[in-house]
């Protein structure tokens, strides 16, 4: 196994410093960072001193102004990459149009990048779209669908309040559920 750690906004500055020290000593080989971490302090400079052998950027479509989930902090990943000494870089996304892929490469200033595109047909996933008149109808259809199909399910909701309501409703109807949204800790 590869010793790994993360650095995000849930950590104190002492915990961040400790993890960077451990990475410098070679005790941590894989370090996960939210791109927003490059907005604070001297994280990129400290990582540069440690040495980064590979920079992997997940959800890379967020780098592109044409991406569906553009986040300004992702733009600063290119600047951080430069501070890191421009290590080999892999940008990963499942939702990039040709225009977005081109913009990602441009933003990161990648030299002759290789693009690998795989299919998105996931045979282990099923999608259900059912007509419903109101929330009660939606709830009934959801419960019926979940009871009809065994296994795990992911249900997306548009608001935190909806996540809380749906997970509570499912529990009330005998379906084990766990809600997650940005207002909850990891």
């Amino acid at each position: 196994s590869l010793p790994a750690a993360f650095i995000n906004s849930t950590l104190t500055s002492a915990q961040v410093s400790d993890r960077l020290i451990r990475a410098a000593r070679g005790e941590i080989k894989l370090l996960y960072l939210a791109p927003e971490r490059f907005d604070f302090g001297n994280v990129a400079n400290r990582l540069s001193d440690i040495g980064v052998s590979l920079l992997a950027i997940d959800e890379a479509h967020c780098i592109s102004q044409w991406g569906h989930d553009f986040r300004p902090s992702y733009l600063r990943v290119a600047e951080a990459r430069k501070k890191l000494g421009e290590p080999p870089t892999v940008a990963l996304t499942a939702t990039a149009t040709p225009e977005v892929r081109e913009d990602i490469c441009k933003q990161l200033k990648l030299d002759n990048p290789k693009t690998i595109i795989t299919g998105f047909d996931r045979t282990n996933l099923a999608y259900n779209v059912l007509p419903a008149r109101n929330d009660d109808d939606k709830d009934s259809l959801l419960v019926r669908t979940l009871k009809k199909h065994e296994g795990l399910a992911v249900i997306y909701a548009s608001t935190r309040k909806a996540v809380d309501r749906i997970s509570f409703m499912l529990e009330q109807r005998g379906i084990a559920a766990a809600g997650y949204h940005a207002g909850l800790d990891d």
Side-chain angles (χ1 to χ4, degrees), residues 32-100:
Y32 294 91
L33 284 88
E36 289 79 9
R37 291 310 306 177
F38 293 122
D39 296 344
F40 303 107
N42 60 353
V43 171
N45 292 333
R46 289 185 70 183
L47 289 173
S48 177
D49 292 343
I50 292 168
V52 174
S53 58
L54 174 70
L55 175 63
I57 304 160
D58 196 17
E59 303 298 344
H61 60 272
C62 297
I63 290 171
S64 174
Q65 62 179 327
W66 311 111
H68 76 274
D69 191 20
F70 173 71
R71 285 166 54 189
S73 59
Y74 268 83
L75 282 180
R76 290 181 281 286
V77 172
E79 185 181 316
R81 181 177 180 266
K82 188 173 181 179
K83 287 181 182 175
L84 297 173
E86 297 182 335
T89 301
V90 59
L92 307 164
T93 179
T95 58
T97 63
E99 187 175 43
V100 169

Side-chain angles (χ1 to χ4, degrees), residues 141-167:
L141 287 166
L142 176 59
V143 168
R144 198 171 336 141
T145 300
L146 291 173
K147 287 186 175 182
K148 188 166 108 180
H149 300 284
E150 289 207 20
L152 300 175
V154 176
I155 302 156
Y156 290 95
S158 59
T159 66
R160 294 177 185 189
K161 186 176 178 181
V163 168
D164 293 338
R165 185 192 69 74
I166 292 168
S167 56

Side-chain angles (χ1 to χ4, degrees), residues 114-166:
K114 291 191 180 6
T115 302
I116 300 169
I117 301 169
T118 61
F120 57 86
D121 182 26
R122 308 279 174 89
T123 57
N124 61 326
L125 299 179
Y127 300 91
N128 291 281
V129 179
L130 305 168
R133 293 181 301 274
N134 53 42
D135 282 346
D136 288 340
D137 200 15
K138 286 180 193 177
D139 291 349
S140 296
L141 287 166
L142 176 59
V143 168
R144 198 171 336 141
T145 300
L146 291 173
K147 287 186 175 182
K148 188 166 108 180
H149 300 284
E150 289 207 20
L152 300 175
V154 176
I155 302 156
Y156 290 95
S158 59
T159 66
R160 294 177 185 189
K161 186 176 178 181
V163 168
D164 293 338
R165 185 192 69 74
I166 292 168

